[in-house]
């Protein structure tokens, strides 16, 4: 344990449960429903409303070998290729073999997918898939339909839910085992202010961390809270340098910030072309799948073309679809484009890459267990080894579904018990970062650790992030009046800074280009030295400790001090500590 916690008031209220699930996307709600069905007292905590997470924004669909002629083995092969040598094959095999039945159970929960005239599930293709295996709903509103079905099921089951609640830190007992969480409930309601849910099992399903960048497809709630909590609790994270930038995000202007409208990969799956201003299809000859190459390849090709032409975007041309197809198959995207003055029926769509998905996260085993006993992670916040260096399109919803069921089964089988939570003063002070630093962090990350990275850009980013970190600590020591006060905005920005520091530290260590980690100064993939995972934990002094696994295998999840990794060479002592 690190002894680090966010600066916050002591809990003013508490409640007890068998399990607390933090997050209300496909991963969180599936876990909660399975636990509750087994008779466990289950509490769901979510940062906004139940249907406000990243799942709702998923357009393309959910990938599974459901079509005639398709097999889990083919799905596995496509996933391994997209992951650029870093997928854990056991985790991928679990995903693709258990995935089809998990989707059928989701349908049994009440989710309605689009069907063909014969009544079969309608399937499409996306980047990296050699088969049509993407099930979708409402044309391009798959996530919204899955969220609707799960939220209705949760309400019908009368689960205890706490909405508009930001999770703060993990509670542990005297043995270091999970004993619940502290959280802050925003606004009026049954609970308000800082409180605690005491439970021997905690499932983090908090989604992504896209808000560390200026432009992202992630909703405003995606501030890396789960990863930051896990780091402070002493858990390991892995592969955080692999942030996938979606290649086709609606370009709203060079100064646009925050959540940007996504133009689903399914649009390319149905035959849209990527072109430059002259109408040239630049993906031809770049990859055997052209526009349907894995996302990292397409994002890099778009970025290269933008640099070549000195432009800030490229175009996605789907005028040949016609109005009827746009209205029936992609109504959400059509409406978003038109809301911003673009009519894809008559003109190409301006697109550019933006931060989309964290392939890395809290390190787990095949049952979702982390290195902290009783703490589980699922969905985008987790790193199961499934995605490797680059997530295959539409594998994310499936991962949340499959591993949620596995987590629930483990909790039900284990029936964990915890001692009384320790709520003493943290051993290490954790100064808060002022809310106004949010845009500064985002600009630092976008410049230094975005689609294009280099030793120089990452070093600059590390120095600037470290300066923010040290400035906050010095302000506390000097008892300066400008010290940030506890509150939602300060807690979020503090989480953003911690996650950013760890991400940049890992990106500096990985001196190669692999998957969605693109180093301009190290343009080649280096399997001999870097077909490895970087595993990070936090010291009580709030410094990242990086270790490199001995092989490409994900390896067992053990307590953070276990010697299952080889020390990475100490090349950047300024911003990381190397574990002996």
């Amino acid at each position: 344990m690190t002894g680090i916690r966010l600066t916050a008031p002591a809990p003013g209220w508490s409640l007890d449960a068998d399990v607390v699930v933090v997050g209300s996307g496909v991963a969180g709600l599936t876990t909660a429903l399975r636990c509750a069905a087994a008779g466990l007292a289950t509490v769901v905590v979510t940062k906004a409303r139940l249907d406000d997470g990243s799942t709702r924004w998923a357009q393309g669909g959910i990938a599974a070998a459901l079509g005639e002629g398709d097999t889990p083995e083919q799905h596995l092969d496509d996933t391994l290729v997209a992951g650029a040598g870093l997928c854990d094959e056991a985790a991928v095999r679990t995903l693709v073999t258990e995935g089809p039945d998990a989707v059928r159970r989701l349908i049994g929960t009440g989710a309605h997918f689009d069907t063909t005239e014969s009544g079969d599930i309608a399937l499409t293709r996306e980047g990296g898939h050699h088969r049509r295996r993407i099930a979708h709903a409402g044309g391009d509103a798959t996530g919204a339909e899955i969220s609707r079905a799960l939220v209705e099921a949760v309400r019908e089951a009368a689960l205890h839910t706490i909405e508009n609640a930001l999770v703060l830190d993990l509670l542990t007992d005297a043995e270091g085992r999970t004993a619940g969480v502290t959280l802050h409930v925003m606004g009026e309601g049954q609970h308000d202010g800082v409180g605690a849910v005491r439970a021997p099992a905690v499932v983090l399903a908090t989604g992504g961390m896209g808000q560390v960048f200026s432009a992202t497809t992630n909703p405003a709630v995606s501030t890396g809270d789960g990863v930051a909590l896990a780091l402070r609790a002493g858990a390991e994270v892995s592969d955080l340098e692999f942030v996938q930038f979606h290649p086709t995000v609606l370009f709203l202007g060079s100064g646009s910030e925050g959540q940007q409208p996504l133009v689903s990969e399914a649009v390319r799956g149905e035959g849209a072309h990527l072109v430059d201003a002259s109408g040239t299809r630049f993906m031809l000859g770049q990859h055997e799948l052209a526009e349907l190459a894995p996302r990292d390849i397409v994002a890099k090709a778009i970025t290269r073309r933008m640099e070549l032409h000195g432009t800030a975007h490229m175009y996605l041309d789907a005028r040949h679809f016609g109005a009827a197809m746009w209205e029936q198959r992609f109504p959400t995207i059509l409406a978003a484009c038109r809301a911003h003055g673009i009519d894809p029926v008559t003109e190409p769509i301006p697109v550019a890459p933006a931060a989309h998905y964290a392939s890395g996260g809290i390190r787990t085993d095949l049952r979702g267990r982390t290195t902290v006993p009783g703490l589980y992670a699922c969905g985008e916040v987790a790193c199961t080894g499934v995605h490797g260096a680059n997530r295959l399109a539409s594998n994310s919803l499936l991962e949340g579904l499959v591993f949620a069921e596995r987590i629930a089964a483990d909790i039900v089988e284990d029936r964990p018990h915890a001692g009384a939570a320790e709520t003493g003063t943290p051993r290490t002070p954790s100064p808060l970062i002022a809310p106004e630093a949010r845009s500064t962090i985002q600009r630092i990350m976008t410049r230094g650790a975005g689609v294009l990275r280099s030793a120089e850009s990452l070093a600059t980013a590390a120095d600037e992030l470290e300066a923010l970190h040290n400035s906050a600590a010095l302000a506390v020591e000097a008892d300066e009046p400008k010290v940030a006060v506890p509150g939602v905005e300060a807690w979020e920005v503090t989480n953003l800074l911690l996650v950013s520091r760890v991400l940049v530290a890992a990106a500096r260590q990985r001196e190669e280009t692999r998957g969605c980690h693109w180093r301009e100064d190290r343009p080649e993939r280096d399997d001999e030295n870097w077909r490895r995972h970087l595993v990070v934990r936090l010291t009580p002094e709030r410094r990242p400790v990086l270790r490199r696994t001995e092989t490409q295998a994900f390896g067992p999840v053990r307590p953070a001090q276990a010697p299952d990794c080889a020390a990475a060479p100490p090349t950047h002592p300024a911003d990381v500590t190397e574990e002996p």
Side-chain angles (χ1 to χ4, degrees):
M1 301 300 294
T2 66
I4 304 170
R5 286 181 183 159
L6 287 171
T7 301
W13 56 269
S14 68
L15 57 90
D16 295 322
D18 295 320
V19 56
V20 55
V21 177
V22 186
S24 59
V26 63
L29 295 188
T30 300
T31 305
L33 286 166
R34 297 294 185 273
C35 288
L40 296 179
T42 304
V43 173
V44 177
V45 174
T46 187
K47 193 172 179 181
R49 298 189 308 274
L50 276 180
D51 62 351
D52 248 356
S54 293
T55 291
R56 181 165 69 92
W57 298 98
Q59 294 175 344
I62 185 167
L66 297 165
E68 184 178 354
D70 196 8
T71 65
E73 200 68 26
Q74 293 176 66
H75 190 181
L76 180 141
D77 290 343
D78 286 345
T79 301
L80 295 180
V81 169
L86 278 187
C87 294
D88 179 68
E89 187 167 339
V92 177
R93 193 169 295 280
T94 296
L95 178 83
V96 300
T97 55
E98 297 182 10
D101 284 342
V103 171
R104 294 183 184 102
R105 284 189 289 273
L106 178 62
I107 294 171
T109 303
H112 301 292
F113 289 94
D114 296 338
T115 57
T116 65
E117 292 182 357
S118 61
D120 296 326
I121 295 175
L123 301 172
T124 189
R125 279 183 66 196
E126 291 185 358
H129 293 272
H130 284 79
R131 289 274 189 176
R132 284 184 169 264
R133 66 168 65 98
I134 315 301
H136 48 83
D140 58 359
T142 309
E145 170 58 19
I146 290 174
S147 180
R148 179 206 61 76
L150 291 173
V151 168
E152 284 190 7
V154 163
R155 287 175 175 155
E156 287 175 6
L159 265 67
H160 190 147
T161 61
I162 305 175
E163 296 181 295
N164 301 308
L166 171 65
V167 68
L168 300 177
D169 280 303
L170 190 72
L171 293 172
T172 54
D173 63 17
E175 277 70 50
R177 183 181 177 83
T178 294
V181 293
T182 56
L183 61 154
H184 174 80
V185 182
M186 298 165 266
E188 298 179 0
Q190 183 180 358
H191 304 293
D192 197 8
V194 175
V197 180
R198 303 182 188 277
V202 171
V203 182
L204 296 178
T206 53
M209 56 184 187
Q211 291 292 327
V212 301
F213 296 97
S214 297
T216 177
T217 63
N218 289 189
V221 295
S222 298
T223 51
D225 307 318
V227 171
L229 176 151
L231 283 164
R232 288 192 296 270
E236 292 180 339
V237 303
S238 186
D239 300 351
L240 217 61
E241 67 272 30
F242 296 116
V243 176
Q244 186 179 82
F245 283 73
H246 198 289
T248 55
V249 175
L250 183 62
F251 180 74
L252 301 180
S254 299
S256 59
E257 296 183 345
Q259 186 178 9
Q260 311 289 298
L262 176 67
V263 182
S264 171
E265 203 156 88
V267 178
R268 280 174 281 140
E270 296 292 351
H273 304 145
L274 281 166
V275 299
D276 58 23
S278 67
T280 302
R281 285 184 64 188
F282 55 87
M283 283 306 300
L284 295 176
Q286 296 271 348
H287 189 275
E288 62 167 339
L289 296 176
E291 281 91 356
L292 287 178
R295 287 178 178 173
D296 62 313
I297 294 172
V298 180
K300 290 172 187 176
I302 290 175
T303 304
R304 287 194 187 102
R305 200 72 172 187
M306 285 160 48
E307 288 186 324
L308 178 65
H309 288 267
T311 60
H313 64 84
M314 288 286 113
Y315 294 94
L316 187 64
D317 191 352
R319 289 174 291 181
H320 55 285
F321 284 5
M325 180 172 175
W326 268 110
E327 291 165 1
Q328 294 168 15
R329 180 68 177 85
F330 301 111
T332 306
I333 299 170
L334 178 63
C337 289
R338 285 176 170 170
H340 291 283
I342 304 295
D343 188 350
V345 176
T346 60
E347 58 188 317
I349 306 168
V351 293
H356 182 59
Y357 190 88
S359 292
I362 307 165
R363 192 163 177 258
T364 74
D365 64 11
L366 294 183
R367 292 189 171 192
R369 298 176 293 197
T370 74
T371 53
V372 176
L375 179 64
Y376 297 79
C378 191
E380 188 173 356
V381 73
C383 184
T384 61
V386 159
H387 303 308
N390 179 56
R391 174 176 68 91
L392 180 65
S394 289
N395 267 357
S396 53
L397 291 174
L398 191 71
E399 182 195 33
L401 198 60
V402 167
F403 285 89
E405 294 186 340
R406 289 182 143 252
I407 287 172
D410 191 76
I411 294 173
V412 170
E413 179 183 332
D414 188 38
R415 298 276 174 167
H417 298 281
E422 293 191 323
T423 56
T425 303
R427 296 189 299 271
T428 305
S430 184
L432 297 177
I433 309 301
E436 53 266 28
R438 182 176 186 134
S439 60
T440 301
I441 294 169
Q442 291 170 333
R443 285 194 293 269
I444 290 170
M445 292 298 291
T446 299
R447 286 195 309 265
V451 179
L452 301 178
R453 303 170 178 179
S454 67
E456 182 179 359
S457 76
L458 290 166
T460 299
D463 290 344
E464 292 174 343
L465 294 172
E466 201 67 16
L468 288 173
H469 172 76
N470 293 334
S471 176
L474 290 173
V476 170
E477 291 175 8
D479 197 22
E480 295 181 5
K482 66 178 183 180
V483 171
V485 297
V488 172
E489 292 183 348
W491 290 322
E492 283 187 334
V493 175
T494 302
N495 287 340
L496 285 173
L497 180 59
L498 174 55
V499 172
S500 296
R501 290 174 62 227
V502 173
L503 190 160
V504 169
R508 294 186 77 187
Q509 285 295 103
R510 184 170 291 280
E511 295 182 333
E512 64 159 356
T513 289
R514 181 185 297 273
C516 50
H517 173 67
W518 186 10
R519 286 280 297 260
E520 293 181 282
D521 56 323
R522 293 287 190 273
E524 302 301 323
R525 175 169 152 175
D526 181 0
D527 279 353
E528 181 177 355
N529 294 303
W530 285 108
R531 195 178 177 193
R532 309 284 189 274
H533 299 274
L534 283 174
V535 180
V536 189
R537 63 180 179 85
L538 203 64
T539 70
E541 296 75 33
R542 294 180 291 128
R543 291 208 166 273
V545 175
L546 277 74
R547 298 182 294 164
R548 182 168 51 179
T549 58
E550 295 175 349
T551 70
Q552 75 272 16
F554 200 59
V557 172
R558 299 168 178 161
Q561 291 76 18
D564 65 331
C565 300
T571 53
H572 307 298
D575 63 316
V576 301
T577 301
E578 302 300 332
E579 188 159 47

